[in-house]
Amino acid sequence: MIGEAIKTKKIGVLYGGLSAEREVSLASGAAVHKALLARGYDAIAIDVNRDLPQVLAREGVEVVFVALHGRYGEDGSVQGVLEMMGIPYTGSGILASALAMNKIFAKQAFVASGLTVAPYRVLRRGDEIGPLGFDFPLVVKPSQEGSSVGISIVRAADGLAAALELAFRYDAEILVEQFIKGQEVQVGILGEEALGAIEIVPKNEFYDFEAKYTAGMAEHILPARLPADVYRHALETGLIAHRALGCAGYSRVDLLVTAAGECYVLEVNTLPGMTALSLLPEIAQGAGIGFEELVERILLSAALKINS
């Protein structure tokens, strides 16, 4: 959208929602709303429930900044509502959102684009596990949750049953992956540019929910400690992954980078966190883009993705 035109629009910041990541979304949305007000926009914060269409109509919302995370917000559901209502919105469209949220289909898209992913197996409720084709340690995760909800690292066979039970609490379809030892690196994408890559060194076994959202539980190193050629490869990998799913506006791509310089794609977050501890704002800051400017640039990319 053109900057001057959007200044006259009523902006709705969608946050909260119905997913397991509700509390994180409340923090993201509050920060985004504050930034938009500081930049002079007519913005209201809307805690999303099932009456969202009625609320949007009642409030006269003309453009939406989606600050939701997880199911019903990041999976294409809200995007479909907004397309039906003809309200331009930030971030990726219906298909890209759904693909990114479903780790199984996302992996297939990554492989089709020539990217490297960890060997994996899909399990559904009632499936016989059988031979996996790879050995311990393993990573067990729900197919459609974010913020590391329901994820376990399994070092030996006696821990597998509990990990499967935990993952199945969140999804009827789960992934069992080969554990890849490497640096946890996240690439920030804004528009069609990879802004930079940040390295995460968690105090827990991996970058879990606690490490993501508790101050002091993870060290953030910007730029990521990678040789120059590997750093460039990480940025290129992040941008290819973003494009492989058809993402728009912005995203954060999670990688594991091995000592040999291989970049394994874990997932693409189409609506990355916008909290005080979030990584995309930190990457943007390293690229000279402050938080308010980042929020405004994302807002200005708002559009309908169907017939746009």
PDB file of all heavy atoms in Angstrom, residues 74-101:
ATOM      1  N   GLU A  74      -2.039 -18.411  11.934  1.00  0.00           N
ATOM      2  CA  GLU A  74      -0.841 -18.507  11.094  1.00  0.00           C
ATOM      3  C   GLU A  74      -0.990 -19.593  10.036  1.00  0.00           C
ATOM      4  O   GLU A  74      -0.102 -19.784   9.211  1.00  0.00           O
ATOM      5  CB  GLU A  74       0.370 -18.813  11.991  1.00  0.00           C
ATOM      6  CG  GLU A  74       1.706 -18.502  11.380  1.00  0.00           C
ATOM      7  CD  GLU A  74       2.845 -18.531  12.391  1.00  0.00           C
ATOM      8  OE1 GLU A  74       2.595 -18.761  13.595  1.00  0.00           O
ATOM      9  OE2 GLU A  74       3.985 -18.321  11.980  1.00  0.00           O
ATOM     10  N   ASP A  75      -2.127 -20.281  10.028  1.00  0.00           N
ATOM     11  CA  ASP A  75      -2.293 -21.465   9.184  1.00  0.00           C
ATOM     12  C   ASP A  75      -3.180 -21.231   7.959  1.00  0.00           C
ATOM     13  O   ASP A  75      -3.559 -22.183   7.278  1.00  0.00           O
ATOM     14  CB  ASP A  75      -2.848 -22.629   9.997  1.00  0.00           C
ATOM     15  CG  ASP A  75      -4.229 -22.339  10.579  1.00  0.00           C
ATOM     16  OD1 ASP A  75      -4.735 -21.204  10.396  1.00  0.00           O
ATOM     17  OD2 ASP A  75      -4.794 -23.237  11.230  1.00  0.00           O
ATOM     18  N   GLY A  76      -3.517 -19.991   7.688  1.00  0.00           N
ATOM     19  CA  GLY A  76      -4.365 -19.681   6.539  1.00  0.00           C
ATOM     20  C   GLY A  76      -5.819 -19.437   6.892  1.00  0.00           C
ATOM     21  O   GLY A  76      -6.581 -18.927   6.060  1.00  0.00           O
ATOM     22  N   SER A  77      -6.219 -19.780   8.115  1.00  0.00           N
ATOM     23  CA  SER A  77      -7.627 -19.627   8.499  1.00  0.00           C
ATOM     24  C   SER A  77      -8.064 -18.164   8.499  1.00  0.00           C
ATOM     25  O   SER A  77      -9.036 -17.786   7.838  1.00  0.00           O
ATOM     26  CB  SER A  77      -7.862 -20.230   9.891  1.00  0.00           C
ATOM     27  OG  SER A  77      -7.562 -21.601   9.912  1.00  0.00           O
ATOM     28  N   VAL A  78      -7.358 -17.333   9.257  1.00  0.00           N
ATOM     29  CA  VAL A  78      -7.693 -15.908   9.313  1.00  0.00           C
ATOM     30  C   VAL A  78      -7.480 -15.267   7.954  1.00  0.00           C
ATOM     31  O   VAL A  78      -8.248 -14.390   7.527  1.00  0.00           O
ATOM     32  CB  VAL A  78      -6.859 -15.206  10.406  1.00  0.00           C
ATOM     33  CG1 VAL A  78      -6.799 -13.701  10.176  1.00  0.00           C
ATOM     34  CG2 VAL A  78      -7.449 -15.496  11.777  1.00  0.00           C
ATOM     35  N   GLN A  79      -6.449 -15.689   7.255  1.00  0.00           N
ATOM     36  CA  GLN A  79      -6.179 -15.127   5.932  1.00  0.00           C
ATOM     37  C   GLN A  79      -7.370 -15.365   4.992  1.00  0.00           C
ATOM     38  O   GLN A  79      -7.722 -14.491   4.193  1.00  0.00           O
ATOM     39  CB  GLN A  79      -4.896 -15.749   5.360  1.00  0.00           C
ATOM     40  CG  GLN A  79      -3.617 -15.313   6.048  1.00  0.00           C
ATOM     41  CD  GLN A  79      -3.372 -15.957   7.413  1.00  0.00           C
ATOM     42  OE1 GLN A  79      -4.039 -16.928   7.789  1.00  0.00           O
ATOM     43  NE2 GLN A  79      -2.406 -15.442   8.143  1.00  0.00           N
ATOM     44  N   GLY A  80      -7.995 -16.521   5.102  1.00  0.00           N
ATOM     45  CA  GLY A  80      -9.176 -16.813   4.291  1.00  0.00           C
ATOM     46  C   GLY A  80     -10.348 -15.902   4.631  1.00  0.00           C
ATOM     47  O   GLY A  80     -11.059 -15.425   3.744  1.00  0.00           O
ATOM     48  N   VAL A  81     -10.543 -15.658   5.924  1.00  0.00           N
ATOM     49  CA  VAL A  81     -11.600 -14.746   6.358  1.00  0.00           C
ATOM     50  C   VAL A  81     -11.376 -13.355   5.766  1.00  0.00           C
ATOM     51  O   VAL A  81     -12.303 -12.719   5.239  1.00  0.00           O
ATOM     52  CB  VAL A  81     -11.648 -14.671   7.899  1.00  0.00           C
ATOM     53  CG1 VAL A  81     -12.564 -13.536   8.364  1.00  0.00           C
ATOM     54  CG2 VAL A  81     -12.122 -15.991   8.491  1.00  0.00           C
ATOM     55  N   LEU A  82     -10.135 -12.890   5.841  1.00  0.00           N
ATOM     56  CA  LEU A  82      -9.825 -11.545   5.360  1.00  0.00           C
ATOM     57  C   LEU A  82      -9.966 -11.443   3.845  1.00  0.00           C
ATOM     58  O   LEU A  82     -10.430 -10.417   3.320  1.00  0.00           O
ATOM     59  CB  LEU A  82      -8.415 -11.152   5.804  1.00  0.00           C
ATOM     60  CG  LEU A  82      -8.235 -11.054   7.329  1.00  0.00           C
ATOM     61  CD1 LEU A  82      -6.763 -10.873   7.680  1.00  0.00           C
ATOM     62  CD2 LEU A  82      -9.068  -9.925   7.909  1.00  0.00           C
ATOM     63  N   GLU A  83      -9.579 -12.491   3.131  1.00  0.00           N
ATOM     64  CA  GLU A  83      -9.784 -12.491   1.683  1.00  0.00           C
ATOM     65  C   GLU A  83     -11.277 -12.402   1.353  1.00  0.00           C
ATOM     66  O   GLU A  83     -11.697 -11.638   0.476  1.00  0.00           O
ATOM     67  CB  GLU A  83      -9.181 -13.761   1.060  1.00  0.00           C
ATOM     68  CG  GLU A  83      -7.669 -13.841   1.092  1.00  0.00           C
ATOM     69  CD  GLU A  83      -6.986 -12.973   0.044  1.00  0.00           C
ATOM     70  OE1 GLU A  83      -7.673 -12.403  -0.829  1.00  0.00           O
ATOM     71  OE2 GLU A  83      -5.736 -12.871   0.094  1.00  0.00           O
ATOM     72  N   MET A  84     -12.084 -13.181   2.068  1.00  0.00           N
ATOM     73  CA  MET A  84     -13.528 -13.166   1.831  1.00  0.00           C
ATOM     74  C   MET A  84     -14.125 -11.787   2.095  1.00  0.00           C
ATOM     75  O   MET A  84     -15.046 -11.343   1.403  1.00  0.00           O
ATOM     76  CB  MET A  84     -14.217 -14.206   2.714  1.00  0.00           C
ATOM     77  CG  MET A  84     -13.982 -15.636   2.302  1.00  0.00           C
ATOM     78  SD  MET A  84     -14.882 -16.084   0.811  1.00  0.00           S
ATOM     79  CE  MET A  84     -16.567 -16.092   1.421  1.00  0.00           C
ATOM     80  N   MET A  85     -13.576 -11.096   3.103  1.00  0.00           N
ATOM     81  CA  MET A  85     -14.091  -9.781   3.472  1.00  0.00           C
ATOM     82  C   MET A  85     -13.473  -8.653   2.657  1.00  0.00           C
ATOM     83  O   MET A  85     -13.903  -7.498   2.758  1.00  0.00           O
ATOM     84  CB  MET A  85     -13.863  -9.531   4.964  1.00  0.00           C
ATOM     85  CG  MET A  85     -14.617 -10.482   5.871  1.00  0.00           C
ATOM     86  SD  MET A  85     -14.376 -10.109   7.619  1.00  0.00           S
ATOM     87  CE  MET A  85     -15.342  -8.574   7.774  1.00  0.00           C
ATOM     88  N   GLY A  86     -12.465  -8.970   1.857  1.00  0.00           N
ATOM     89  CA  GLY A  86     -11.823  -7.961   1.033  1.00  0.00           C
ATOM     90  C   GLY A  86     -10.975  -6.986   1.821  1.00  0.00           C
ATOM     91  O   GLY A  86     -10.811  -5.827   1.413  1.00  0.00           O
ATOM     92  N   ILE A  87     -10.395  -7.455   2.945  1.00  0.00           N
ATOM     93  CA  ILE A  87      -9.573  -6.580   3.794  1.00  0.00           C
ATOM     94  C   ILE A  87      -8.096  -6.918   3.578  1.00  0.00           C
ATOM     95  O   ILE A  87      -7.672  -8.037   3.887  1.00  0.00           O
ATOM     96  CB  ILE A  87      -9.940  -6.747   5.285  1.00  0.00           C
ATOM     97  CG1 ILE A  87     -11.406  -6.400   5.517  1.00  0.00           C
ATOM     98  CG2 ILE A  87      -9.033  -5.865   6.155  1.00  0.00           C
ATOM     99  CD1 ILE A  87     -11.877  -6.647   6.945  1.00  0.00           C
ATOM    100  N   PRO A  88      -7.299  -5.989   3.054  1.00  0.00           N
ATOM    101  CA  PRO A  88      -5.860  -6.252   2.894  1.00  0.00           C
ATOM    102  C   PRO A  88      -5.210  -6.573   4.239  1.00  0.00           C
ATOM    103  O   PRO A  88      -5.605  -6.024   5.280  1.00  0.00           O
ATOM    104  CB  PRO A  88      -5.318  -4.939   2.321  1.00  0.00           C
ATOM    105  CG  PRO A  88      -6.500  -4.271   1.710  1.00  0.00           C
ATOM    106  CD  PRO A  88      -7.671  -4.647   2.574  1.00  0.00           C
ATOM    107  N   TYR A  89      -4.195  -7.459   4.214  1.00  0.00           N
ATOM    108  CA  TYR A  89      -3.565  -7.899   5.458  1.00  0.00           C
ATOM    109  C   TYR A  89      -2.080  -8.139   5.239  1.00  0.00           C
ATOM    110  O   TYR A  89      -1.615  -8.321   4.114  1.00  0.00           O
ATOM    111  CB  TYR A  89      -4.239  -9.172   5.987  1.00  0.00           C
ATOM    112  CG  TYR A  89      -4.227 -10.334   5.015  1.00  0.00           C
ATOM    113  CD1 TYR A  89      -3.241 -11.315   5.058  1.00  0.00           C
ATOM    114  CD2 TYR A  89      -5.221 -10.447   4.046  1.00  0.00           C
ATOM    115  CE1 TYR A  89      -3.238 -12.380   4.173  1.00  0.00           C
ATOM    116  CE2 TYR A  89      -5.233 -11.504   3.152  1.00  0.00           C
ATOM    117  CZ  TYR A  89      -4.247 -12.471   3.216  1.00  0.00           C
ATOM    118  OH  TYR A  89      -4.239 -13.524   2.316  1.00  0.00           O
ATOM    119  N   THR A  90      -1.353  -8.148   6.335  1.00  0.00           N
ATOM    120  CA  THR A  90       0.094  -8.345   6.289  1.00  0.00           C
ATOM    121  C   THR A  90       0.435  -9.831   6.236  1.00  0.00           C
ATOM    122  O   THR A  90      -0.351 -10.686   6.633  1.00  0.00           O
ATOM    123  CB  THR A  90       0.766  -7.724   7.520  1.00  0.00           C
ATOM    124  OG1 THR A  90       0.187  -8.293   8.700  1.00  0.00           O
ATOM    125  CG2 THR A  90       0.577  -6.218   7.542  1.00  0.00           C
ATOM    126  N   GLY A  91       1.641 -10.108   5.766  1.00  0.00           N
ATOM    127  CA  GLY A  91       2.144 -11.473   5.781  1.00  0.00           C
ATOM    128  C   GLY A  91       1.713 -12.282   4.575  1.00  0.00           C
ATOM    129  O   GLY A  91       1.253 -11.755   3.566  1.00  0.00           O
ATOM    130  N   SER A  92       1.872 -13.585   4.702  1.00  0.00           N
ATOM    131  CA  SER A  92       1.629 -14.503   3.597  1.00  0.00           C
ATOM    132  C   SER A  92       0.145 -14.787   3.408  1.00  0.00           C
ATOM    133  O   SER A  92      -0.672 -14.570   4.301  1.00  0.00           O
ATOM    134  CB  SER A  92       2.381 -15.813   3.846  1.00  0.00           C
ATOM    135  OG  SER A  92       3.776 -15.596   3.832  1.00  0.00           O
ATOM    136  N   GLY A  93      -0.181 -15.293   2.217  1.00  0.00           N
ATOM    137  CA  GLY A  93      -1.550 -15.633   1.883  1.00  0.00           C
ATOM    138  C   GLY A  93      -1.971 -16.983   2.430  1.00  0.00           C
ATOM    139  O   GLY A  93      -1.273 -17.615   3.228  1.00  0.00           O
ATOM    140  N   ILE A  94      -3.130 -17.426   1.984  1.00  0.00           N
ATOM    141  CA  ILE A  94      -3.743 -18.650   2.510  1.00  0.00           C
ATOM    142  C   ILE A  94      -2.850 -19.866   2.280  1.00  0.00           C
ATOM    143  O   ILE A  94      -2.531 -20.611   3.214  1.00  0.00           O
ATOM    144  CB  ILE A  94      -5.118 -18.889   1.866  1.00  0.00           C
ATOM    145  CG1 ILE A  94      -6.068 -17.736   2.161  1.00  0.00           C
ATOM    146  CG2 ILE A  94      -5.717 -20.205   2.357  1.00  0.00           C
ATOM    147  CD1 ILE A  94      -7.330 -17.750   1.316  1.00  0.00           C
ATOM    148  N   LEU A  95      -2.452 -20.094   1.040  1.00  0.00           N
ATOM    149  CA  LEU A  95      -1.700 -21.308   0.704  1.00  0.00           C
ATOM    150  C   LEU A  95      -0.342 -21.333   1.376  1.00  0.00           C
ATOM    151  O   LEU A  95       0.038 -22.339   1.990  1.00  0.00           O
ATOM    152  CB  LEU A  95      -1.552 -21.436  -0.811  1.00  0.00           C
ATOM    153  CG  LEU A  95      -0.775 -22.676  -1.286  1.00  0.00           C
ATOM    154  CD1 LEU A  95      -1.429 -23.957  -0.789  1.00  0.00           C
ATOM    155  CD2 LEU A  95      -0.664 -22.676  -2.805  1.00  0.00           C
ATOM    156  N   ALA A  96       0.404 -20.241   1.277  1.00  0.00           N
ATOM    157  CA  ALA A  96       1.734 -20.199   1.892  1.00  0.00           C
ATOM    158  C   ALA A  96       1.637 -20.380   3.400  1.00  0.00           C
ATOM    159  O   ALA A  96       2.468 -21.078   4.006  1.00  0.00           O
ATOM    160  CB  ALA A  96       2.427 -18.881   1.560  1.00  0.00           C
ATOM    161  N   SER A  97       0.637 -19.767   4.017  1.00  0.00           N
ATOM    162  CA  SER A  97       0.463 -19.900   5.465  1.00  0.00           C
ATOM    163  C   SER A  97       0.180 -21.352   5.841  1.00  0.00           C
ATOM    164  O   SER A  97       0.759 -21.884   6.797  1.00  0.00           O
ATOM    165  CB  SER A  97      -0.691 -19.000   5.945  1.00  0.00           C
ATOM    166  OG  SER A  97      -0.425 -17.647   5.669  1.00  0.00           O
ATOM    167  N   ALA A  98      -0.722 -21.993   5.092  1.00  0.00           N
ATOM    168  CA  ALA A  98      -1.066 -23.380   5.384  1.00  0.00           C
ATOM    169  C   ALA A  98       0.115 -24.316   5.167  1.00  0.00           C
ATOM    170  O   ALA A  98       0.367 -25.225   5.967  1.00  0.00           O
ATOM    171  CB  ALA A  98      -2.252 -23.812   4.522  1.00  0.00           C
ATOM    172  N   LEU A  99       0.862 -24.089   4.090  1.00  0.00           N
ATOM    173  CA  LEU A  99       2.029 -24.926   3.811  1.00  0.00           C
ATOM    174  C   LEU A  99       3.082 -24.792   4.899  1.00  0.00           C
ATOM    175  O   LEU A  99       3.639 -25.788   5.373  1.00  0.00           O
ATOM    176  CB  LEU A  99       2.646 -24.539   2.469  1.00  0.00           C
ATOM    177  CG  LEU A  99       1.972 -25.058   1.206  1.00  0.00           C
ATOM    178  CD1 LEU A  99       2.618 -24.425  -0.022  1.00  0.00           C
ATOM    179  CD2 LEU A  99       2.037 -26.572   1.125  1.00  0.00           C
ATOM    180  N   ALA A 100       3.372 -23.558   5.293  1.00  0.00           N
ATOM    181  CA  ALA A 100       4.411 -23.339   6.298  1.00  0.00           C
ATOM    182  C   ALA A 100       4.020 -23.929   7.636  1.00  0.00           C
ATOM    183  O   ALA A 100       4.863 -24.423   8.386  1.00  0.00           O
ATOM    184  CB  ALA A 100       4.692 -21.847   6.447  1.00  0.00           C
ATOM    185  N   MET A 101       2.729 -23.872   7.966  1.00  0.00           N
ATOM    186  CA  MET A 101       2.266 -24.370   9.258  1.00  0.00           C
ATOM    187  C   MET A 101       2.306 -25.892   9.326  1.00  0.00           C
ATOM    188  O   MET A 101       2.474 -26.467  10.397  1.00  0.00           O
ATOM    189  CB  MET A 101       0.840 -23.872   9.513  1.00  0.00           C
ATOM    190  CG  MET A 101       0.383 -24.021  10.934  1.00  0.00           C
ATOM    191  SD  MET A 101       1.314 -22.934  12.030  1.00  0.00           S
ATOM    192  CE  MET A 101       0.769 -23.546  13.611  1.00  0.00           C
TER     193      MET A 101
END
